[in-house]
Amino acid sequence: MKHYDYLIVGAGLYGAVFAREAMDHGKSCLVIDRRSHIAGNIYCSVEKDILVHRYGAHIFHTSDEEVWDYVNRFVHFNHYINSPVAVYKDETYNLPFNMNTFSKMWGIRTPDEAKKIIADQIADLHIEEPANLEEQALKLVGRDVYEKLVKGYTEKQWGRPCTELPAFIIRRLPLRFIYDNNYFSDPHQGVPKEGYTVLVERLLEGADILLDTDYKEFAAEHSDEYDRLVYTGMIDEFYDFRFGHLEYRSVRFEDEYPDTDNYQGCAVVNYTEAEVPYTRIIEHKHFAFGTQPDTIISKEYPSEWKPGVEPYYPINNERNNSLYEKYRALAEQEEKVIFGGRLGTYRYYDMDKVIAAALQDTRKEMWT
């Protein structure tokens, strides 16, 4: 094996951007990943001529002009707008919470009517200092919106009652008093026409790649064959869980193939009552305005995480944040290791923020 300037652990978005920038600065990169494919959780495959988001819906959105220009160097984006629908029992509502939502829920038309209903509901609750997530949400949106569109979905997502969840998890629940179903307010939004896997392929062009490769096993045999390490795996795993395990929520996906060309009429439908076991259904073809004669849907089931299960969402509560600080203190002492990405920094990132962080880290690395 030849010698590399960088060993990059993880072929997801952070690792791919870092590799691209390093190679553009004349550095050699070897990228390894324990999965059998590149692109991490944004991996897309093609089935029945439909681009399938294998690890859940990913809609790119950003207000960062530099990041937007950067990704457009590699792929072309369509004009998909994220406008999900929420189903509660036999009722259907638009998301995010906006005048279309309130009009359907209360039979009203004007913003003033909606504001008054919500304000009256909040006042009737007499919640001064929220003691848990339920009280926090009620104080933000009132009883109707909470009961129909927040409570069940949140309890499924976290696997426990809202009364047992800390208030800080929901710092705000945006209420929009306009008739606008666009979930994001960023000026740039869409899905790559070629798919996210192609984006990562193009970012990694020129790098050597090893899949189905575990970092610890690889490093045990090849530790002298690279100068610096970029690590995007779980930071606690890097240190052999010295202080204990950081916690996550996980997700299980079940694909189905309905005998129709259009199952639900949009890409994302949330199911907000607790009795429905999945949180949402994704119909992949609608991300690309597909007209194929077939369709594929994926149901998302939140699940408890345990070691060995795929980690998705960091649980950034007081206990885990305190634990992460211990690992971060170790990481800061590393002279040849850069920790990045969702797992390496134990935080949830939107895709544009991952790219911005990778660009910032490579600039610091290359220019110092």
Side-chain angles (χ1 to χ4, degrees), residues 138-298:
L138 286 168
K139 188 173 182 179
L140 290 170
V141 299
R143 185 168 299 281
D144 288 349
V145 174
Y146 170 72
E147 292 287 348
K148 292 187 175 185
L149 301 179
V150 178
K151 184 177 187 295
Y153 189 94
T154 303
E155 291 182 345
K156 288 187 289 187
Q157 192 76 17
W158 291 95
R160 48 191 54 83
C162 288
T163 53
E164 296 178 10
L165 292 168
F168 71 79
I169 290 178
I170 293 184
R171 294 182 175 89
R172 58 190 295 268
L173 285 170
L175 298 171
R176 300 180 186 175
F177 296 98
I178 55 176
Y179 287 92
D180 184 0
N181 298 325
N182 186 354
Y183 198 86
F184 302 120
S185 57
D186 296 308
H188 306 298
Q189 183 175 170
V191 174
K193 295 178 181 180
E194 303 91 334
Y196 290 105
T197 304
V198 172
L199 167 62
V200 175
E201 283 177 352
R202 292 172 180 172
L203 286 165
L204 290 175
E205 186 174 348
D208 290 333
I209 302 170
L210 292 176
L211 302 176
D212 298 305
T213 301
D214 179 79
Y215 162 68
K216 289 293 178 72
E217 295 176 3
F218 180 88
E221 299 182 13
H222 305 286
S223 60
D224 295 330
E225 291 161 8
Y226 53 90
D227 293 331
R228 292 179 65 74
L229 173 67
V230 177
Y231 187 83
T232 70
M234 295 191 298
I235 189 171
D236 53 346
E237 183 178 25
F238 183 86
Y239 290 107
D240 297 315
F241 309 104
R242 183 180 307 180
F243 305 121
H245 288 272
L246 293 166
E247 295 175 309
Y248 295 82
R249 286 291 287 170
S250 192
V251 184
R252 176 173 56 86
F253 302 94
E254 289 188 2
D255 296 340
E256 295 182 9
Y257 304 83
D259 185 19
T260 180
D261 66 338
N262 187 358
Y263 179 78
Q264 61 187 18
C266 66
V268 182
V269 176
N270 290 359
Y271 287 80
T272 61
E273 60 178 304
E275 290 71 21
V276 177
Y278 41 85
T279 50
R280 61 182 181 174
I281 295 179
I282 306 302
E283 188 168 9
H284 301 273
K285 67 188 297 181
H286 294 305
F287 290 123
F289 314 101
T291 58
Q292 300 92 335
D294 302 302
T295 194
I296 302 171
I297 66 170
S298 298

